[in-house]
Amino acid sequence: MDSAEYERKIAHRFAAFDQDGNGYIDRADFDAAAARLLAEFGTRARCDKGQALYSGAEAFWQGMAGIADVDGDQRVNRAEFVGGAVKRLRDNPERFAEIARPFLRAALDVAGGDGSAGSAPVEAVERALRVLGAADDVAGVAARSLDGDEDGRVAEADAVAAFSAYFTVVAPDM
């Protein structure tokens, strides 16, 4: 992978977290992602699923900040993201999976409606991905690819593994 392609991939990954496009990742980006998911699926913030999603978003933010917020200003700029979240986690994708797991589990529960806990229908996952900023064609392909056993549902383990790989397997040494 050449450095231009690497930079493009990093910029895309950073933008996925920078939900408001202000140039840094902070708690508000995680809260905004949770709010959009709740609105999309008609789930109240004060119900158990809504609270779990906000708690998962907070845990995810705290994990990200702990890894990447080098200057302690409670936000992660692009340089910190590359230096912290990407470089540090590239060698330990399991760490990233663990900080993302509570949010992903709760997001699947919100998207899954009345279905099995920790999983959601492929169509619902596609909707969730679009709400979080994925392009329509990418959301569809990604959601279908997460249904490893082709039962029409995306399981937590598959979502966590794919999410972790997407955000940590990106580049050669910098």
Side-chain angles (χ1 to χ4, degrees), residues 24-121:
Y24 55 85
I25 302 164
D26 63 6
R27 177 178 281 112
D29 291 309
F30 288 84
D31 287 345
R36 280 198 304 283
L37 284 169
L38 292 175
E40 175 69 18
F41 292 99
T43 305
R44 294 183 337 271
R46 295 217 179 256
C47 75
D48 289 344
K49 287 182 180 183
Q51 290 298 294
L53 186 62
Y54 275 111
S55 293
E58 178 63 20
F60 198 174
W61 161 244
Q62 290 296 327
M64 174 74 74
I67 291 167
D69 183 17
V70 176
D71 61 10
D73 65 354
Q74 290 299 297
R75 53 189 202 178
V76 175
N77 62 36
R78 188 174 182 282
E80 288 173 321
F81 181 77
V82 171
V86 175
K87 277 187 178 179
R88 290 183 192 156
L89 294 173
R90 180 180 56 209
D91 295 329
N92 190 1
E94 296 81 22
R95 169 97 166 104
F96 190 78
E98 289 313 307
I99 67 172
R101 184 180 303 280
F103 178 76
L104 294 174
R105 176 184 305 128
L108 287 169
D109 287 347
V110 166
D114 295 332
S116 309
S119 73

